[in-house]
Amino acid sequence: MTTALQIDGLSVGYARADGSVNLVVKDVDLALEPGTILGLAGESGCGKSTSALAAVGYRSPGSRIVGGRSLLDGVDLLALPLAELRSLWARRIAYVAQNAATALNPALPIGRQLAQPLVRHLGLRGEELRARQLELLEQVGLPDPPGALARYPHQFSGGQQQRIAIAIALSCRPRVLILDEPTTGLDVTTQARISALLRTLVSETGVATLYVSHDLALLGTIADRMAVMYGGEIVEASSARAVTRRPRHPYSQALLGAVPSAHRPRAVAGIPGRPPSSVSLDACAFAPRCAHVVPDCTLARPELREIEADHVARCVRAEELAPQPNQGTVLAARTAAAPEPLLEVIDVCCEYRHRRTSHVVVRGVSLAVHPGETVGVVGESGSGKSTLLRAIVGLHAPSAGSIRLRGEELAPTAVKRPRAVRRELQIVFQNAESSLNPRHAVGDLVGRPVRLFRDDVARAEEPRAVAELLEAVKLPRSVANRYPAELSGGQKQRVALARAFAARPSLLLCDEVTSSLDVSVQATVLELLAELALQLDTAVVFVSHDLAVVRTIATRALVVRDGEVCEQGETERLFLAPSHPYTQELLSSIPEPAATSAA
Amino acid sequence: MTTADVLAPVVPVDEEARATPAWRTVLNTIEGRIGLAVGALMLLLIAFGRFFAPYSPNELGVGPRTQGPSAEHVFGTDSLGRDVLSRFLSGGDMILLVPLLSVVLAFLVGGGLGMFGGYRRGRADLVITRTFDLLLTLPPLLIVLVIIAGIGSSTAVLVVTAALVFVPRVGRLLRGATQAVVTNDYVAAAQARGERTAAIILREVLPNIAASAIAEFALRLTYAIIFVATLNFLGLGAQPPNPNWGLMVAEGRTYIAISPWATLLPAAGIAALSIATNLIADALTRHIARDTARGTVTL
């Protein structure tokens, strides 16, 4: 078998205003073999997508190829004019974006979208065209292919949309397939099915695949070979099995340590700090965040060295470091002490009304939360778990049932509840982007609940209280003067946590608070949440679609589906011996890095 | 990048993300600069021009009637022998103040109602938007004609009627902008804190729509200046012998061939004022369009 795409010494930079170039990718070498998947891992901002797109000749606005070659069967893509590249794209090189909902044209039926490349590049017509369309939709496992051709993207679920996007990508039997986080943002069960589908399709069609993802556990189960990128360079490369079982670079080890596990009560260890914004030329780029840093690390840029047969790493200490990832500390240590429940939710139903139709999303859910304990609520999107939280905090009036705090019945909406109740129940939203008002400085955002709810803090003392809260979430005090747009995603979520804890709540409601974050950042936020909840003796209801995260942080958990509780109990029991078939299905869908199942 | 660079900024500030204040962008655009310069000039002229008037604006027969420019009367005289320059220097105040007040009133009433409706939704919103729609179906001049015919004209009536014309237009815009903002979780967070509606609208919503509101204000002011000048021209506003620019244009146009400046000078004043506000509105809109794309609109 010959290499389909050979990338040699690829370097990419962005032009600065003063004419110089900010190097973001340096000397990337990758080889894509037909019928295999090469996984490209790393946090956001490490240059994964930039490298993948630059390798097939795509230049994002402002970017520029500084050096290197990318040979598609011997032809250098980087030297081709745009017109020739265009004829190669879709025909020889296909790309699947992260979000199928935005990648598909909402105004065209999928038959038309599927026909476009077939007509343009292969010249198919009539019966031939229709036969190929149906064949492709069957191949990606879409139900009722003939009917699907006439339907529009919004009539399909997220997973089905991604299947359609994959069908379009494979329509012209490409030689190379680039997948950019194709399952990120999908539910675990959907993610598992799409991954399995991709694995089969790659073997069947023999397409050489580059799979970009921040999820090391997922890549470990699906990829043949794996390269880990950090700060625009490849820091480790080997077989996928070797990288996940015996990671040699501290960054790969840290990334694996940050992945929560649903199969073992393992704690997570976050990676403090964040990736550099450009390539480091005179030192190890990871040194500032590395737990194993020695003076040698900052003397020169380490070379990519062969540590063992077919395993390279860019670290001066690669041989001596233990190949086991950091196990972290156990987060979910707290159990309920008091017999009296803090919060009781009894047979709550919620529905959304529109005109005369109503859509029931929560159907009689009951749960109890005791002081100081962490309860997880697991379910896929649309299961009603977020609506349940909104009902508890008073943002959505339930249509039936009752919600009690310390035995007292709560009013259906927040405005009608006494101030003391509003202080005790605080919520943190999924997306800090949307939950922090961009027009207020961080100090004002965190200061508002202090002013409203903290009678123990005098007006003059407020700035000090805000500073203490920021320090509690491990942000420097100076952040108080910054606006949300100036912070990273993880920093914003810390601010949201500080704002929630500012009121000294007895119950914190967390709605998917880590699902828009990278694994490494997710781990730091989880650690912080667990630490603060323990310190301030706050009970937490943690809603997530990610079972692994829930297992990491919660002592007790509920599994919800279609607005009903399928199963609940101690997290340990729930995950070791799930009794409900739905819980079993959820658990079996989770990719696990090989290292952890072996340990 | 050296290691020190990586270590140094605990909270690295993305300079790109730092928003430029509106006034700076306005100054950086060519239309903004021209608009501000012309606007400032007109403002000085309207505020202090009267102190430099060579004659009293309403004094009859300070020179011969209906005459072109001369050494004593730089811009000539009108049909009653009044000095055109003196009248021009004294008559600009109401041409700016009436539109300004009416737009401010329209923003307070229409903007307030629009934001309230956009935030509350439901029945309140329905009543408000239907009222706006009803007002929008009536031709502006008809509204003004009926009201002034009914209760007579005064500065206050002029301000209120002009505001009535702008209320639904301003209200609809701010309602739409509010609707886009209220879906954000920070509004939900404020509701969960139990904040009152007024506090949520002022603290959470208004700062986020202020940019488009200000651009709309400048644009609406342009229309208002022309609209009020038109009313004065039609004799629905200021009454003789007031040196109001709109009225001056109306009075002078019969003699435009003999004493052109009696018409052209106030017309140019009105034009300069509306062009200046329009240019500033354009520059503001451009600032908002650019920063909205980046998600960092700041004023």
Side-chain angles (χ1 to χ4, degrees):
Chain A
M1 259 196 290
T2 53
T3 302
L5 188 70
Q6 177 77 45
I7 302 164
D8 290 325
L10 178 69
S11 298
V12 186
Y14 281 90
R16 286 202 190 96
D18 60 6
S20 62
V21 170
N22 183 26
L23 204 60
V24 293
V25 169
K26 185 165 168 59
D27 296 337
V28 165
D29 300 329
L30 294 169
L32 303 190
E33 309 290 340
T36 64
I37 297 177
L38 171 65
L40 193 56
E43 291 165 281
S44 313
C46 279
K48 310 183 299 276
S49 298
T50 310
S51 310
L53 288 173
V56 296
Y58 181 83
R59 293 156 181 83
S60 55
S63 77
R64 129 178 359 168
I65 311 284
V66 180
R69 297 183 307 168
S70 178
L71 304 174
L72 177 71
D73 294 318
V75 180
D76 188 1
L77 296 174
L78 304 185
L80 288 181
L82 191 62
E84 279 180 51
L85 276 174
R86 281 218 180 104
S87 80
L88 284 179
W89 289 340
R91 198 161 52 84
R92 307 293 310 281
I93 301 164
Y95 172 76
V96 176
Q98 171 171 350
N99 195 344
T102 55
L104 297 173
N105 186 338
L108 292 182
I110 68 148
R112 287 271 299 280
Q113 303 191 47
L114 196 53
Q116 277 168 356
L118 294 171
V119 172
R120 184 172 137 77
H121 296 292
L122 303 181
L124 296 185
R125 294 274 183 281
E127 272 310 301
E128 225 183 346
L129 173 67
R130 191 175 156 81
R132 178 70 180 140
Q133 283 178 320
L134 294 179
E135 183 194 357
L136 280 165
L137 292 184
E138 235 155 70
Q139 222 174 2
V140 297
L142 206 68
D144 181 29
L149 288 177
R151 285 194 272 157
Y152 289 85
H154 70 89
Q155 292 171 294
F156 296 92
S157 69
Q160 288 173 333
Q161 287 175 350
Q162 198 59 282
R163 282 171 196 265
I164 295 164
I166 293 168
I168 295 174
L170 293 176
S171 59
C172 298
R173 299 194 176 87
R175 183 99 163 110
V176 172
L177 177 63
I178 309 283
L179 303 166
D180 195 354
E181 305 261 11
T183 62
T184 309
L186 298 176
D187 284 327
V188 267
T189 47
T190 318
Q191 185 175 352
R193 288 187 207 116
I194 301 267
S195 302
L197 169 73
L198 283 169
R199 184 68 257 185
T200 321
L201 287 175
V202 169
S203 310
E204 277 177 7
T205 61
V207 65
T209 304
L210 181 62
Y211 196 122
V212 175
S213 176
H214 72 279
D215 193 337
L216 224 65
L218 173 76
L219 286 181
T221 59
I222 189 177
D224 300 290
R225 297 193 58 78
M226 182 135 79
V228 180
M229 277 193 89
Y230 185 78
E233 309 171 297
I234 290 181
V235 294
E236 180 160 5
S238 183
S239 67
R241 196 181 157 82
V243 172
T244 44
R245 286 205 175 192
R246 294 187 309 280
R248 305 311 293 258
H249 195 281
Y251 180 61
S252 316
Q253 295 173 358
L255 267 186
L256 276 168
V259 180
S261 165
H263 297 291
R264 300 192 315 114
R266 202 195 48 172
V268 291
I271 315 175
R274 61 176 186 175
S277 54
S278 60
V279 173
S280 162
L281 297 174
D282 53 6
C284 171
F286 189 58
R289 299 169 74 189
C290 184
H292 311 285
V293 67
V294 291
D296 275 358
C297 296
T298 52
L299 292 180
R301 174 173 177 249
E303 292 301 314
L304 206 55
R305 295 177 302 126
E306 187 144 38
I307 308 302
E308 52 191 51
D310 189 34
H311 196 153
V312 291
R314 193 186 290 277
C315 177
V316 291
R317 302 183 63 194
E319 286 89 350
E320 47 178 308
L321 294 177
Q324 270 301 314
N326 177 4
Q327 294 295 309
T329 45
V330 177
L331 300 181
R334 300 179 311 144
T335 44
E340 287 298 302
L342 174 69
L343 175 87
E344 282 172 289
V345 173
I346 302 157
D347 286 330
V348 160
C349 296
C350 296
E351 57 186 44
Y352 286 96
R353 284 207 191 86
H354 184 73
R355 302 275 156 85
R356 294 224 175 77
T357 61
S358 81
H359 179 55
V360 184
V361 288
V362 178
R363 305 159 192 271
V365 168
S366 299
L367 78 105
V369 182
H370 297 266
E373 77 168 338
T374 300
V375 176
V377 178
V378 191
E380 295 184 90
S381 46
S383 59
K385 55 195 193 314
S386 292
T387 308
L388 179 66
L389 274 201
R390 293 175 72 88
I392 295 173
V393 84
L395 289 172
H396 184 108
S399 50
S402 83
I403 299 169
R404 292 179 194 162
L405 188 72
R406 301 185 206 284
E408 299 251 343
E409 183 76 30
L410 292 184
T413 53
V415 271
K416 294 191 185 129
R417 294 178 181 176
R419 192 175 71 113
V421 170
R422 297 197 308 259
R423 180 187 68 78
E424 286 200 82
L425 300 177
Q426 291 289 317
I427 186 165
V428 182
F429 295 94
Q430 167 171 8
N431 192 347
E433 208 72 57
S434 146
S435 74
L436 302 180
N437 192 330
R439 301 322 210 104
H440 294 309
V442 168
D444 296 331
L445 292 169
V446 178
R448 188 68 185 167
V450 174
R451 162 131 346 146
L452 287 178
F453 297 124
R454 290 278 292 279
D455 295 330
D456 57 320
V457 179
R459 281 271 168 123
E461 292 290 296
E462 280 171 13
R464 199 184 45 78
V466 169
E468 279 171 8
L469 284 159
L470 290 176
E471 269 172 15
V473 295
K474 306 205 166 57
L475 287 173
R477 286 165 177 242
S478 60
V479 169
N481 300 320
R482 301 251 193 243
Y483 284 85
E486 299 172 56
L487 305 178
S488 71
Q491 289 168 333
K492 279 182 209 156
Q493 203 56 285
R494 279 160 198 269
V495 171
L497 275 182
R499 176 173 67 180
F501 278 110
R504 289 280 153 80
S506 51
L507 177 64
L508 187 68
L509 303 155
C510 296
D511 188 5
E512 299 265 15
V513 291
T514 60
S515 63
S516 58
L517 304 173
D518 260 18
V519 271
S520 57
V521 182
Q522 165 175 287
T524 56
V525 170
L526 287 176
E527 283 175 317
L528 185 67
L529 177 61
E531 186 188 319
L532 285 174
L534 185 66
Q535 229 173 54
L536 301 169
D537 196 29
T538 311
V540 178
V541 174
F542 193 94
V543 163
S544 177
H545 70 278
D546 191 332
L547 282 92
V549 169
V550 166
R551 171 147 207 197
T552 307
I553 196 156
T555 41
R556 234 154 40 76
L558 289 82
V559 179
V560 289
R561 184 189 200 182
D562 295 335
E564 284 171 346
V565 178
C566 302
E567 190 170 1
Q568 60 174 311
E570 300 292 314
T571 326
E572 287 310 293
R573 190 201 58 72
L574 206 63
F575 285 68
L576 287 175
S579 57
H580 196 280
Y582 181 62
T583 318
Q584 290 163 359
E585 190 194 340
L586 278 180
L587 273 167
S588 63
S589 307
I590 300 170
E592 248 335 85
T596 50
S597 53
Chain B
M1 179 184 271
T2 63
T3 321
D5 286 337
V6 181
L7 285 173
V10 187
V11 180
V13 178
D14 195 349
E15 284 303 326
E16 285 287 298
R18 274 240 133 134
T20 13
W23 61 268
R24 191 170 276 283
T25 339
V26 170
L27 272 181
N28 282 343
T29 57
I30 184 76
E31 64 259 43
R33 267 184 241 171
I34 297 175
L36 280 181
V38 175
L41 209 68
M42 292 307 293
L43 215 58
L44 287 175
L45 190 136
I46 289 167
F48 304 109
R50 68 191 65 229
F51 304 116
F52 299 93
Y55 301 94
S56 163
N58 290 332
E59 197 182 332
L60 302 176
V62 293
R65 293 180 186 186
T66 328
Q67 217 184 38
S70 64
E72 291 91 65
H73 306 284
V74 185
F75 287 100
T77 54
D78 67 5
S79 59
L80 296 175
R82 295 173 293 194
D83 183 48
V84 169
L85 179 64
S86 304
R87 286 177 69 73
F88 174 71
L89 289 174
S90 320
D93 47 1
M94 283 304 141
I95 221 74
L96 181 63
L97 269 182
V98 171
L100 198 63
L101 288 175
S102 67
V103 174
V104 168
L105 191 65
F107 264 77
L108 288 177
V109 176
L113 284 173
M115 286 192 292
F116 180 76
Y119 170 72
R120 263 298 167 84
R121 289 175 256 190
R123 202 163 296 163
D125 187 35
L126 200 72
V127 172
I128 290 168
T129 44
R130 288 294 164 266
T131 313
F132 286 168
D133 289 347
L134 188 74
L135 281 173
L136 279 173
T137 59
L138 303 173
L141 271 179
L142 186 72
I143 300 180
V144 181
L145 275 173
V146 168
I147 293 177
I148 291 178
I151 58 175
S153 182
S154 70
T155 306
V157 170
L158 212 55
V159 168
V160 172
T161 45
L164 198 61
V165 170
F166 302 133
V167 157
R169 290 163 177 85
V170 171
R172 271 166 58 118
L173 183 101
L174 292 197
R175 175 180 170 269
T178 304
Q179 277 186 318
V181 169
V182 292
T183 54
N184 278 300
D185 284 337
Y186 52 77
V187 175
Q191 288 168 341
R193 284 198 300 268
E195 307 255 17
R196 283 175 320 181
T197 302
I200 293 178
I201 288 178
L202 291 178
R203 275 184 56 89
E204 310 295 337
V205 177
L206 190 57
N208 286 289
I209 64 172
S212 27
I214 286 175
E216 170 71 6
F217 186 91
L219 198 63
R220 200 46 67 192
L221 189 60
T222 311
Y223 294 136
I225 289 168
I226 295 170
F227 186 66
V228 170
T230 308
L231 294 183
N232 284 317
F233 176 81
L234 294 175
L236 296 171
Q239 298 302 315
N242 194 313
N244 184 293
W245 290 353
L247 197 57
M248 276 177 79
V249 174
E251 290 170 348
R253 73 197 157 112
T254 329
Y255 313 99
I256 191 162
I258 315 163
S259 174
W261 290 110
T263 307
L264 291 186
L265 198 59
I270 295 166
L273 212 51
S274 60
I275 288 171
T277 48
N278 203 351
L279 287 174
I280 295 171
D282 273 358
L284 280 170
T285 313
R286 180 184 291 197
H287 164 79
I288 292 157
R290 203 199 57 196
D291 278 13
T292 311
R294 235 197 265 157
T296 57
V297 185
T298 310
L299 292 166

